[in-house]
């Protein structure tokens, strides 16, 4: 209930030098406390005059804070909902990206397979003529197989004792008889190539067998004929070859 007017009326008394507790005790005794009370009330009024607007502002700001807090809570709820939706969408996006990458990898693998298949088809197309010729050649070999085998067995059985010239003569006579009997055979038959491969011939050469046709034919007769071969070997080349060839097989030589 203290007003500003009351405080203004009280100020001249408060400014007096003798308006204090010590002087009041001398004059009034136990009632001197009223002097301090009036000073305290005046001081309280000045402080309270500043505090009341602050309290009002505090209440206003607390109300605003509460409203802002409610808005914040509502916004937080919406944010949580949107974050949940975002997480779901992000998961869908990640799955879509993963599926896309898998499709790209599959497409790249298919593209590589297509390129390889195209290259293979093109390569096979280039081989068609060779395969056709080879197939025809194989068919001819099948037809001529009987005659070729007959010539090979005749060579192994009967040409061993003779020189190169007489061996060729025997082959020509046999071919003439086969023509008369209409037995098919390969016109360009190579008996050496039919009876032995190049790798074996190379191994024989390393073992000391000469590389001429007659020596190779002799090597074929020695290794493939069913009879024991008789070697007329004035230069000793056949002897050296047989020793080297059978060295690892425990060959025993009688001088």
């Amino acid at each position: 209930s203290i007003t500003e007017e009351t405080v203004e009326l009280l100020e001249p008394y408060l400014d007096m030098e003798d308006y204090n507790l010590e002087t009041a005790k001398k004059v009034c005794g136990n009632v001197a406390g009223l002097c301090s009370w009036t000073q305290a009330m005046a001081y309280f009024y000045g402080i309270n005059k500043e505090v009341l607007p602050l309290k009002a502002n505090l209440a206003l700001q607390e109300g605003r804070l509460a409203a802002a807090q409610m808005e914040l809570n509502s916004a937080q709820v919406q944010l949580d909902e949107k974050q949940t939706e975002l997480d779901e969408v992000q998961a869908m996006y990640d799955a879509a990206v993963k599926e896309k990458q898998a499709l790209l990898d599959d497409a790249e693998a298919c593209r590589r397979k297509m390129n390889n298949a195209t290259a293979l088809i093109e390569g096979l197309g280039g081989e068609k003529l060779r395969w056709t010729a080879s197939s025809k050649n194989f068919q001819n070999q099948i037809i001529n197989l009987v005659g070729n085998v007959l010539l090979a067995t005749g060579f192994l059985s009967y040409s061993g004792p003779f020189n190169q010239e007489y061996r060729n003569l025997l082959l020509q006579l046999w071919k003439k008889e086969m023509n008369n009997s209409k037995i098919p055979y390969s016109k360009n038959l190579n008996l050496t190539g039919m009876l032995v491969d190049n790798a074996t011939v190379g191994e024989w050469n390393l073992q000391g067998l000469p590389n001429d046709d007659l020596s190779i034919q002799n090597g074929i007769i020695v290794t493939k004929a069913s009879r024991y071969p008789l070697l007329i070997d004035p230069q000793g080349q056949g002897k050296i070859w047989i020793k080297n060839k059978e060295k690892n097989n425990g060959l025993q030589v009688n001088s």
Side-chain angles (χ1 to χ4, degrees):
S1 62
I2 300 175
T3 64
E4 185 176 357
E5 181 180 2
T6 303
V7 175
E8 290 179 355
L9 293 174
L10 186 59
E11 282 183 357
Y13 299 96
L14 296 176
D15 293 338
M16 293 181 180
E17 295 182 358
D18 57 352
Y19 193 82
N20 52 57
L21 181 59
E22 288 75 13
T23 304
K25 283 182 179 181
K26 295 177 181 179
V27 176
C28 301
N30 294 333
V31 190
L34 291 176
C35 176
S36 297
W37 181 79
T38 56
Q39 290 176 333
M41 290 299 100
Y43 179 73
F44 169 78
Y45 176 77
I47 297 300
N48 197 42
K49 184 178 179 180
E50 297 178 0
V51 171
L52 287 178
L54 295 177
K55 286 184 176 181
N57 186 50
L58 174 62
L60 177 63
Q61 298 304 326
E62 287 179 346
R64 291 180 178 178
L65 176 62
Q69 189 64 42
M70 292 179 63
E71 293 180 359
L72 176 61
N73 293 336
S74 176
Q76 185 64 44
V77 172
Q78 294 181 5
L79 177 61
D80 294 340
E81 293 176 354
K82 298 303 179 183
Q83 184 63 44
T84 302
E85 295 178 2
L86 177 61
D87 293 340
E88 294 176 355
V89 173
Q90 184 67 39
M92 294 174 61
Y93 172 76
D94 294 339
V97 169
K98 184 177 180 180
E99 183 178 2
K100 175 185 176 183
Q101 187 61 44
L103 293 175
L104 290 175
D105 294 340
D106 290 342
E108 182 62 26
C110 290
R111 188 177 296 108
R112 288 196 300 267
K113 291 180 180 179
M114 289 177 61
N115 293 335
N116 294 336
T118 301
L120 179 60
I121 291 172
E122 292 176 353
L124 294 178
E127 293 291 320
K128 181 178 180 180
L129 296 177
R130 188 179 67 83
W131 287 351
T132 302
S134 298
S135 177
K136 185 177 180 180
N137 186 37
F138 292 152
Q139 187 65 31
N140 292 333
Q141 288 181 6
I142 293 174
I143 296 174
N144 298 327
L145 184 61
V146 174
N148 293 343
V149 171
L150 182 57
L151 290 173
T153 54
F155 170 80
L156 290 175
S157 299
Y158 300 107
S159 63
F162 308 112
N163 59 18
Q164 184 71 60
E165 182 179 359
Y166 196 75
R167 288 178 183 179
N168 292 335
L169 179 60
L170 285 176
L171 287 175
Q172 296 302 323
L173 293 175
W174 293 339
K175 289 179 180 179
K176 183 178 179 180
E177 292 296 329
M178 292 171 65
N179 289 332
N180 294 334
S181 301
K182 297 182 179 180
I183 300 175
Y185 63 92
S186 299
K187 303 300 180 182
N188 56 348
L189 177 63
N190 182 1
L191 288 176
T192 301
M194 180 179 178
L195 295 173
V196 70
D197 57 79
N198 293 330
T200 302
V201 173
E203 185 177 358
W204 289 351
N205 296 148
L206 293 176
Q207 292 167 351
L209 184 69
N211 196 30
D212 58 277
D213 292 339
L214 181 61
S215 297
I216 294 174
Q217 290 179 359
N218 291 337
I220 294 173
I221 295 172
V222 168
T223 56
K224 295 187 178 297
S226 59
R227 301 175 183 177
Y228 291 106
L230 174 62
L231 299 183
I232 301 173
D233 187 29
Q235 297 179 355
Q237 295 173 327
K239 181 179 179 181
I240 294 173
W241 170 60
I242 291 177
K243 284 184 176 181
N244 292 331
K245 183 178 184 302
E246 302 298 333
K247 179 172 57 177
N248 296 329
N249 297 325
L251 177 65
Q252 295 181 6
V253 180
N254 293 326
S255 302

